[in-house]
């Protein structure tokens, strides 16, 4: 009996253990207190310190539009500069996205420069800020107003980036919530495309509004440089109006649009110069060490480092091959003395010395055979010693230049300094203005010559002025040529040729390079030309394809651009 | 006094007499194989011993004749009378119904005969002929329903992927089974196989319901050995192994490389007057006359040795009395890597991939009272892995980069060594010898301490058959990694215009420095308490019951602790040992779900009928020795749904890319955005599992056949919706529980054994497993054609175009569907089938083109022969219905400036059009190009049959063993992955990276010496 009693005790004790276990476990599965105090939207838009970071994230999406990210980063794939997708250049590596596109693969399934997704993500960030920032109370109303205008300006830029690629696009101006994702009703997220007119009108109205409220630009040394300001919004409008007037988006050839564009760009130039913008006196450092301080640069994408650029875009001796400028582009550089195109009679061009006496911007934009750069002698010639060529004498045949040249613009010849990617600079505005003014009028205007000649007269470039006597058609040609030279590799060419509807001609057919030869006996180079690639370009590529995945998800609401 | 003396003398004499009679013998089962750990008890003294692995025993009795009781689980107990000190052997007969055999089930053990779930197990005795560094790699082909896939051979990083019945869910975060070591969720890769007693796999709902939200993918339970009632037995085994790669990719050398390069150059439109490699260069590559300027490097030959050694040594002490039982073991493993050791030594250190491990275990059971057993199980493991350069963990980092570069770097790029002995520079300052030896090394250390304390209390005094047990577990894992780095210099070698050598330095030498350290620790506690009940009434009703509680918490790194909590219950009923019923219940959950939704209820029911227990069976079909039918059905969960933790919480914001204003980085504005969108209703996956099983034995148990067929359906699979337009502007929309998938299949196991004579016995058997899944629902964008749909197809199925040979002429191209979406098409390109018949090839023509990575069918054939003292075991293992999508360096030519391989020699040229096995060559292989689209051309059948294992053992005869003074001595020669039959030759078919450039699987040749004393 006593024995039994003990065991009952044991049993009760054991039950006790279990109950104790169970009772301890009442909150055993409740996560740590700190888990539930996670950062919610309400908490973010409670204090200015946190809320401003939402604007920071909206700005952060600018990185997607940096040309450096084409090669260095991962936001736009293809691992080639956008220049290599155009007649400006090619890439050493034949497997890169630019070769695929220029060999004919560019469609709704394959587009290395597709920005559809990233643009709408940037837009959501702007919308998020706009919808919620009024809840923040620990900051003055003026700052809220200004930053809202910044967000709207950014959003307008992102929409412009969509417009210039795809034409009219859906205009999302609110933050879509996730209720439909949770419930499975995703139809509400689908919106049809707006027309080109509606899209442009929206961006224009937005830019007009923000221009009224945005502060003027600050000196380059100021802490706020890089923020959306009045000079930027006005300049963006100038660019927008130029695109809207261009043949691609102006099928009715309305000259009024050119006139609007001229006016907008005039306003842009005036605004910028009023606050101190001026052409910088060194065309090389403008894109390297001075890219953070030159007043010419109206807006940039901040880049912490472009250093890997110096190896990736440089010559194989440095590490790898990279972007190789084509003769299709290089031939645009005029003769320095005569100011004539190299093919013009009496230009003074010597095919045996193709780099001699050319527009100084050529020597500042490309590295030529035999040039010493960062301690290495650039050796792209076909034959013994041609370490940077695609010949037997190179250790890196696949890295060698196709054209006997490589990039120099953006590359730091000395210490690898941080540099920014230029988004808008004053020279572009002059060229925008000159183009719009010329296209919008039956005869040439003195102001157009003045604008383009201002760019040519830059200190250190000092190209002869374009004679005021030439015809309107010739002037258009000269302005377009000047644009090609001045804005080389800055991601303009890809869109300029499209909006002019000349891409089908310019981007197709033979691409030319120098097959550089070196005669050891005479120590002389020769520069025979050869076509290294026959490119394809289809006229419907002028507008980018909307990604097929989005067409599929839209259940018929999104309509693809014609031809795809 | 005198009396005392007499008494004492008698006492001593009797002791002396007891010590004098030593009975020696051997116990064998009815299949003729020695039985290890059969129990021998002297009926008179109640003292006993166990047989060793050769079935031998030695027992002391007071006098002859003596009575010995010989028993072994699953066999009929036998009492023999012994008149002589040397009996030859005792043959035990296995019980008709195997009623005695006990198997490990969830939270306990059950009699094999009466259990009704789908459970299979393998004992260490079956694994001992497969000595691998990693115990899971020994499981291939051993257990029906277990699918293994070993994807790398890296020492310390070679664990196989383990899956029970394939994939039950398409959520890749939670496809693998729950793995328990001694009842607790633990890492198992580093368990030493000498410690393992038994591995059970639990497949159906009946077996896994008790695990609730952890059980849907099946459960693997590893049980370690414990002490036995015996005098101390010491076992020593030493394994010496040679390892070599199974199948390495075969790349072409400089001459072929440059010839093909020229050909590709012309195909790409190059000018024939300016060939990349001129005639002089080709000649130099051919005759090798200038190995410095025209090098020909084979990195595989340069860096890898023909074979690498591995050593494994184990000492085990096992024994016990009725009060204290113990199992103590220690193992040392030293596995070396394949790199040539003379290359990896540099300046006083050696970077060769190396894996060393010490395992210690002490499992002690102590009977506090007649009814109370206290057990303490301690395990300590310490592993050290050395990898060259900056290899970050046990399996990635520099070692993979090494394989990547070995496969990539062209053979003619630079010489390994320049004429002056310096390293030749490849890309930048790289040279693979420099990379493996002169960039320093990383040491990864890992220490595991695992402790189980168990208390078992019989409570028959309260009610007969009741007992209580409680378990407290404390595990701690500590990981430490350190890195020493340096840089090195390589030189470009060339001749200047005057023909004098020029060395251009690349990179710079630096001193070895301590550059990085990382620590990571995990603390794991587990508590479990349970009541067990087991009782038979009136000789025909048999009940068992289980009520269990557990709580589990893991703190790891810096994250919030992971908590699990649950209750489990089981009740079984057997009527007359032939009608069986069982209910299993799990009620458990994790902290990962919203309050009120944390706990889930998971019931399962099963029933069985032991047909051979019916009296009429004996008469009607006496040739059937054993026949059982079982059925099970139930619901199990899977809380391992991936994504981030606490998905139920409201949308949370976090750091996003910000932006810098101002002329420097000084005015950085941080970024903040909705990082994690919540789903308040998030829950676990629910699996509905059904199983029908048949177990049978025929002809006096010489033939056994087991068959299981199953159907599982999984609901609530967590996924990110794929049908949300990008216009929402949020890449990470909240995951939702809407996916559905089914999985069905069967397992067949057959075994036949026969003793032909006293000396000769053999067995042959095998298993065949099939599991096919189907995605029933997943959010998918609208697909205009049914073949494009992923829903309704298998998880991991490959999609792409159907290749229909090569274009042989321009005319053929113009007549074929338009493939210009991939650029300009020329003869020698792959032609694709126009599935929708619209005259052009585009995404709409992509259908399912290949089997998933994981085989649907796995099988194994085993064969054992014993002749006198020899034993031979052979296993073939195979898989089918699996394919591999080869791409990039694994299949393409000149991809990313990489090499060309043997298979590129079969390329299309106008001359070889009729026999070409590969499209025309190009230097621009990329996913945008026609020939490099995912297509049936690149989907390769990865089925294979392997001679997985051959083991030949010799057990020394008793006379020799006795002369040596030991109990047993065995020598074994084993070999693993000896030969592979597969239509895929490019690299090992079990590797599952499309590029094929990983540490290869290993072939091993092993010599073992094993002795017990």
């Amino acid at each position: 009996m006593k024995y039994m009693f003990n065991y009952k005790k044991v049993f009760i004790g054991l039950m006790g253990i279990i109950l104790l276990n169970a009772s301890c476990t009442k909150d055993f599965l409740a996560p740590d207190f700190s888990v539930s105090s996670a950062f919610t939207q309400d908490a973010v838009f409670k204090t200015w310190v946190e809320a401003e970071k939402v604007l920071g994230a909206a700005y952060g999406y600018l990185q997607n539009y940096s040309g450096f990210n084409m090669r260095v980063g991962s936001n736009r794939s293809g691992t080639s500069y956008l220049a290599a997708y155009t007649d400006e250049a090619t890439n050493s590596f034949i497997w890169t996205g630019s070769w695929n596109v220029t060999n004919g693969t560019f469609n709704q399934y394959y587009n290395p420069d597709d920005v559809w997704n990233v643009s709408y993500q940037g837009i959501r960030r702007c919308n998020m800020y706009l919808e919620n920032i009024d809840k923040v109370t620990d900051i003055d109303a003026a700052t809220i107003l200004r930053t809202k205008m910044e967000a709207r300006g950014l959003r307008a830029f992102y929409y412009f980036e969509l417009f210039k690629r795809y034409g009219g696009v859906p205009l999302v101006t609110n933050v879509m919530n996730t209720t439909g994702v949770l419930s499975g009703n995703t139809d509400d997220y689908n919106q049809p495309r707006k027309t080109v007119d509606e899209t442009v009108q929206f961006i224009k109205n937005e830019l007009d509004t923000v221009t009224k409220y945005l502060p003027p630009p600050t000196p380059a040394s100021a802490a706020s440089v890089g923020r959306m300001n009045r000079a930027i919004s006005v300049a963006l409008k100038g660019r927008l109006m130029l695109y809207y007037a261009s043949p691609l988006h102006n099928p009715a050839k309305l000259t009024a649009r050119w006139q609007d564009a001229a006016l907008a760009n005039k306003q842009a130039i005036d605004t910028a110069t009023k606050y101190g913008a001026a052409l910088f006196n060194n065309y090389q450092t403008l894109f390297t060490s001075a890219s953070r301080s030159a007043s010419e640069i109206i807006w940039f994408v901040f880049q912490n480092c472009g250093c890997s650029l110096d190896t990736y875009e440089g010559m194989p001796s440095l590490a790898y091959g990279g972007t190789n400028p084509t003769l299709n582009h290089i031939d645009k550089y005029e003769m320095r003395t005569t100011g004539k195109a190299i093919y013009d009679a009496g230009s003074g061009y010597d095919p045996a010395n193709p780099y001699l006496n050319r527009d100084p911007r050529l020597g500042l934009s490309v590295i030529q055979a035999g040039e010493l750069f960062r301690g290495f002698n650039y050796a792209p010639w076909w034959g013994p010693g041609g370490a940077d060529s695609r010949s037997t004498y190179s250790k890196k045949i696949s890295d060698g230049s196709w054209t006997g040249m490589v990039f120099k613009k953006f590359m730091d010849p000395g210490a690898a300094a941080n540099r920014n990617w230029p988004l808008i600079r004053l020279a572009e505005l002059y060229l925008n203005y000159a183009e719009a003014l010329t296209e919008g009028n039956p005869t040439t205007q003195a102001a157009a010559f003045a604008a383009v000649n201002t760019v040519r007269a830059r200190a250190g470039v000092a190209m002869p002025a374009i004679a005021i006597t030439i015809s309107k058609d010739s002037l258009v040609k000269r302005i377009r040529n000047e644009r090609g030279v001045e804005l080389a590799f800055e991601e303009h060419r890809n869109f300029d040729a499209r909006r002019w509807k000349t891409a089908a001609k310019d981007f197709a057919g033979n691409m030319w390079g120098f097959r550089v030869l070196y005669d050891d006996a005479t120590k002389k180079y020769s520069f025979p030309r050869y076509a290294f690639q026959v490119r394809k370009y289809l006229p419907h590529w002028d507008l980018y394809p909307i990604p097929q995945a989005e067409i599929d998800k839209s259940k018929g609401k999104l309509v693809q651009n014609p031809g795809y | 006094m005198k009396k005392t003396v007499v008494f004492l003398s008698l006492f001593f004499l009797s002791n002396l007499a007891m010590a004098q009679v030593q009975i020696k013998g051997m116990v064998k089962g009815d299949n003729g194989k020695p039985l290890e750990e059969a129990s021998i008890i002297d009926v008179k003294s109640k003292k006993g011993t166990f047989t060793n692995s050769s079935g031998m025993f030695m027992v002391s009795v007071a006098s002859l004749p003596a009575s010995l009781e010989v028993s072994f689980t699953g066999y009929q107990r036998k009492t023999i009378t012994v008149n002589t000190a040397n009996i030859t052997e005792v043959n035990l007969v296995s019980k008709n119904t195997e009623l005695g055999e006990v198997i490990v089930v969830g939270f306990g053990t059950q009699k094999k005969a009466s259990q009704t779930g789908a459970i299979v197990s393998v004992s260490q005795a079956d694994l001992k002929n497969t000595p691998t560094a990693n115990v899971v790699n020994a499981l291939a082909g051993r257990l029906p329903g277990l699918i293994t896939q070993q994807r790398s051979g890296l020492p310390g990083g070679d664990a196989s992927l383990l899956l029970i019945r394939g994939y039950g869910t398409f959520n890749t975060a939670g496809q693998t089974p729950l793995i328990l070591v001694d009842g607790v969720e633990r890492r198992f890769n580093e368990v030493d196989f000498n410690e393992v007693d038994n591995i059970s796999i639990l497949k159906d709902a009946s077996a896994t319901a008790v695990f609730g939200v952890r059980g849907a993918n099946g459960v693997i339970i590893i049980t370690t050995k414990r002490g036995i009632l015996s005098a101390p037995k010491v076992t020593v085994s030493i394994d010496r192994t040679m390892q070599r790669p199974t199948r390495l990719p075969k790349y072409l050398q400089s001459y072929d490389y440059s010839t093909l390069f020229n050909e590709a150059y012309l195909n790409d439109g190059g000018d024939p007057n300016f060939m990349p490699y001129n005639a002089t260069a080709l000649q130099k590559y051919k005759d090798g006359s200038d190995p410095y300027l025209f090098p020909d490097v084979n990195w595989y030959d340069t860096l890898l040795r023909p074979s690498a050694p591995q050593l494994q040594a184990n000492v085990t002490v096992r024994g016990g009395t009725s009060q204290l039982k113990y199992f103590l073991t220690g193992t040392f493993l030293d596995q070396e890597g394949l790199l040539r050791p003379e290359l990896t030594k540099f300046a006083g250190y050696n970077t060769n991939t190396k894996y060393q491990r010490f395992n210690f275990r002490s499992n002690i059971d102590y009977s506090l009272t007649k009814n109370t057993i206290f057990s303490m199980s301690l395990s300590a493991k310490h592993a050290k892995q050395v990898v060259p350069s900056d290899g970050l963990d046990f399996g990635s980092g520099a070692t993979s980069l090494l394989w990547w570069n070995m496969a990539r770097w062209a053979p003619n790029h630079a010489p390994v060594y320049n004429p002056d002995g310096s390293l030749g520079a490849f890309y930048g300052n790289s040279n693979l010898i420099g990379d493996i030896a002169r960039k320093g090394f990383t040491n990864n250390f890992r220490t595991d301490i695992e402790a189980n304390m168990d208390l078992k209390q019989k409570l028959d005094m309260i009610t007969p058959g009741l007992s209580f047990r409680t378990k407290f577990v404390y595990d701690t894992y500590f990981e430490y990694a350190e890195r020493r780095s340096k840089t090195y210099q390589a030189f470009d070698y060339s001749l200047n215009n005057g023909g004098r050598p020029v060395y251009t330095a690349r990179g710079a030498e630096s001193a070895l420095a301590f550059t990085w350290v990382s620590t990571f620790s995990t603390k794991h506690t587990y508590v479990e308490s349970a009541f067990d009940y087991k009782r038979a009434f009136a000789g025909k009703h048999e009940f068992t019951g289980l009520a269990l509680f557990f709580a589990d918490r893991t703190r790891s790194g810096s994250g919030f602790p992971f908590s699990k909590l649950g209750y489990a219950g089981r009740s079984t009923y057997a009527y007359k040992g032939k009608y069986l019923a069982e209910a299993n219940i799990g009620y458990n959950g994790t902290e990962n779900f919203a309050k009120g939704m944390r706990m889930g209820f998971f019931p399962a029911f099963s029933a069985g009928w032991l047909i051979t227990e019916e009296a009429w069976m004996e008469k009607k079909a006496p040739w059937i020795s054993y026949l059982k039918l079982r059925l099970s059905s139930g619901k199990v969960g899977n809380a391992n749904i991936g994504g981030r933790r606490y998905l139920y919480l409201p949308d949370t914001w976090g750091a996003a890319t910000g932006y810098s204003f101002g002329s420097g980085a000084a005015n950085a504005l941080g970024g903040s955005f909705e990082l994690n969108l919540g789903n308040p209703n998030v829950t676990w996956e629910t699996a509905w599992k059904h199983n029908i099983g048949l177990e049978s034995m025929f002809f006096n148990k010489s033939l056994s056949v087991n068959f299981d067929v199953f159907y599982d359906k999984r609901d609530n699979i967590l996924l990110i919706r794929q049908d949300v337009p990008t216009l929402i502007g949020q890449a990470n929309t909240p995951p939702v529980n809407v996916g559905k998938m089914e999985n069905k299949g069967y397992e067949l196991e057959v075994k036949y054994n026969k003793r032909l004579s006293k000396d000769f016995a053999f067995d042959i058997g095998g298993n065949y497993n099939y599991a096919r899944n189907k995605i029933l629902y997943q959010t998918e964008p609208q697909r205009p054609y049914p073949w494009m749909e992923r829903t309704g197809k298998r998880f991991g199925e490959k999609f792409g175009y159907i290749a229909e040979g090569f274009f042989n002429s321009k005319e053929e191209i113009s007549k074929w569907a338009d493939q210009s979406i991939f650029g300009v098409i020329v003869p020698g390109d792959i032609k694709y089938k126009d599935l929708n018949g619209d005259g052009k090839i585009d995404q709409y023509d992509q259908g399912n083109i290949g089997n998933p990575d994981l085989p649907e069918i796995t099988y194994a054939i085993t064969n054992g022969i014993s002749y006198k003292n020899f034993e031979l075991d052979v296993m073939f293992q195979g898989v089918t219905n699996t394919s591999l999508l080869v791409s990039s360096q694994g299949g393409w030519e000149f991809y990313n400036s990489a090499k060309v391989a043997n298979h590129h020699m079969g390329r299309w040229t106008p001359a070889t059009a009729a026999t070409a096995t590969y499209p025309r060559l190009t230097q621009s292989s990329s996913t945008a190009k026609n020939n490099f689209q995912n297509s049936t051309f690149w989907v390769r059948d990865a089925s294979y049959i392997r001679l997985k294992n051959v083991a030949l053992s010799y057990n020394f005869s008793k006379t020799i063993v006795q002369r040596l003074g030991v109990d047993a001595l065995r020598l074994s020669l084993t070999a693993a992955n000896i030969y592979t039959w597969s239509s895929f030759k490019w690299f090992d078919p079990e590797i599952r990276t499309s590029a094929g450039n990983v540490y290869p699987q290993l072939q091993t040749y092993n010599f073992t010496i094993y002795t017990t004393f």
Side-chain angles (χ1 to χ4, degrees), chain B residues 569-604:
Chain B
R570 174 165 46 231
S571 165
T572 71
Y573 171 71
Y575 177 73
K576 285 190 170 171
K578 57 185 174 184
Y579 304 118
L580 315 162
E582 183 171 332
N584 283 281
I585 287 163
Y587 177 68
N588 61 15
T590 87
E591 89 298 345
N592 206 21
F593 303 117
K595 197 171 184 182
M597 298 176 69
R598 288 185 184 132
M599 300 290 282
F601 182 69
F602 301 95

Side-chain angles (χ1 to χ4, degrees), chain B residues 346-347 349 389 434 437-441 484-489 508-513 515:
Chain B
F346 187 74
Y349 62 87
S389 187
R438 303 186 188 182
K439 278 175 82 178
F441 56 91
R484 319 274 168 121
S485 302
K486 71 183 287 298
T487 58
Y488 67 93
Q489 205 165 31
E509 287 286 340
S510 72
L512 190 68
T515 48

